[in-house]
Amino acid sequence: MTRRRATAYLLATLGTAAVSLLALPVLCLPGIREPWARANLRLAGDRRWHPVRLRRHLLWLAVHAGTGLPLGLFAVLVVGNLVTAVIAMTLWWAFPPAEPVTVFVEVPVTGWAVALGLGPVQLALLTAVTVWAFPVLAGAHARLTRWALTPSEAERLATRVADLTRTRADVLDAHSAELRRIERDLHDGAQARLVAVAMRLAVAKQRSDDPELVNRLVAEAHEGTEEAMVELRAVIRNTYPPILADRGLAGALVAVAARSGLPTTVDVGDLGRVPAAVESVAYFAVTEALSNVTRHSRAGRAGVRASRSHDLLTVTVTDDGAGGADEARGTGLAGIRRRAGALDGTLTVRSPAGGPTEITLEVPCSQW
């Protein structure tokens, strides 16, 4: 840690430690606890975040207040005396004789001999402290913060098991809902049309003595068959889009953007071989996101970016609309999150009021 960053870190620690001590009950509230801990973890140089239990959070608050206050006060003392040394060497004469500026242990500076004799000594010693001691102290406190806010292996395993249990339940719920949707689509759509076709053909068979009626019934049956085929293709497309098998994920995203209804740019990097399950999640996520853009955002343009870094697929959908996307309003984002969670993926939504909106999907590819 550099001297400048170490000094800034120690001075900031004084403030955060004081807040941790004075506002302890507030900082333990669910909606405040995590942001406060994450902010301090980033200050300590670690941007990774693993949720920690309340007892570990309390441990960190106690350690932070107990070590941050003295270290911060020490930094303030050193920096303050550095400033005093500079003032003593240059502006000692501006102070009234009754209240002169002092250096070291309250040695008054009343002439140039003391100012140029003791001032540089104090400046050199305190500069040495900031150069060598500050980085060591700041680094030690940062490591202590990272240790306190990093869950143990047992805690990570417990959290992982809980996440897997939740995502497994989400997958089962989503699977059941998908089966019910397919059954409903088949029953209300293709099956009903095929039943009507069969009835028309049965009537035509019985009324063979009326060629005009038979021709009309056969024509209607033919039309109904074509409509049933269209609906069957729609059901199949919503189950696993054939375009993924035909063109791959890159081609499928280009096709989705082309039929989105507004100008949409597509930027797809080298994705390599993407597992079918991951392709399906990414395809449906982009389809749903662009559908939301068209229906809700009042956007003029949209963009789709897809890239792969090692075994992590990242897909981002952006628009220049009004923003304010909210999962709670049933915009389909919750469904995208459930699909992503089933594959250990994540969904990040940035949509401030007034826009723009950015939806980022990240799904690992290695284990699928």
Side-chain angles (χ1 to χ4, degrees), residues 48-342:
R48 297 169 300 174
W49 170 252
H50 301 282
V52 294
R53 297 181 177 180
L54 178 60
R55 65 168 179 261
R56 181 170 283 274
H57 184 77
L58 289 172
L59 170 65
W60 166 71
L61 286 175
V63 170
H64 185 55
T67 59
L69 284 174
L71 288 177
L73 290 173
F74 174 70
V76 169
L77 180 65
V78 172
V79 172
N81 279 279
L82 273 171
V83 175
T84 300
V86 173
I87 293 174
M89 289 188 300
T90 57
L91 298 174
W92 65 269
W93 48 267
F95 290 82
E99 297 180 0
V101 64
T102 60
V103 293
F104 280 111
V105 187
E106 298 298 322
V107 176
V109 180
T110 56
W112 286 109
V114 177
L116 298 179
L118 297 181
V121 175
Q122 176 169 307
L123 184 65
L125 290 176
L126 294 179
T127 300
V129 171
T130 61
V131 170
W132 288 298
F134 274 20
V136 173
L137 295 175
H141 188 273
R143 288 192 296 272
L144 191 62
T145 297
R146 292 193 292 269
W147 168 80
L149 289 177
T150 301
S152 64
E153 289 299 323
E155 291 172 332
R156 289 189 185 185
L157 181 59
T159 301
R160 178 65 175 156
V161 170
D163 289 342
L164 289 176
T165 302
R166 176 182 53 79
T167 55
R168 179 177 178 272
D170 288 342
V171 169
L172 292 175
D173 290 342
H175 180 66
S176 299
E178 192 74 4
L179 290 178
R180 290 193 297 270
R181 182 191 63 78
I182 293 173
E183 181 182 9
R184 183 179 63 253
D185 290 346
L186 291 174
H187 181 273
D188 297 341
Q191 179 178 323
R193 294 188 183 280
L194 291 174
V195 169
V197 168
M199 292 178 62
R200 287 185 173 89
L201 292 176
V203 172
K205 183 179 180 181
Q206 295 174 358
R207 299 295 302 274
S208 58
D209 57 337
D210 188 348
E212 184 178 349
L213 176 61
V214 169
N215 290 337
R216 181 169 61 82
L217 290 173
V218 170
E220 291 177 354
H222 182 265
E223 183 181 351
T225 302
E226 291 183 343
E227 292 175 350
M229 291 299 296
V230 170
E231 293 189 357
L232 283 174
R233 283 195 294 268
V235 172
I236 294 172
R237 187 182 302 112
N238 289 331
T239 304
Y240 183 81
I243 194 172
L244 285 175
D246 296 339
R247 303 188 191 178
L249 181 58
L253 295 182
V254 171
V256 171
R259 64 172 186 261
S260 65
L262 75 162
T264 302
T265 59
V266 180
D267 180 11
V268 180
D270 183 12
L271 302 182
R273 182 183 176 278
V274 180
V278 177
E279 281 188 334
S280 180
V281 168
Y283 175 83
F284 282 115
V286 173
T287 302
E288 183 66 35
L290 289 179
S291 176
N292 288 343
V293 171
T294 303
R295 288 181 296 178
H296 306 298
S297 71
R298 302 193 299 276
R301 301 189 61 85
V304 177
R305 297 192 308 273
S307 61
R308 181 172 178 175
S309 176
H310 303 292
D311 288 324
L312 184 67
L313 175 69
T314 302
V315 179
T316 303
V317 179
T318 58
D319 68 72
D320 59 357
D326 186 1
E327 293 184 42
R329 296 191 306 205
T331 55
L333 293 176
I336 298 175
R337 189 180 297 280
R338 284 195 299 269
R339 285 178 179 269

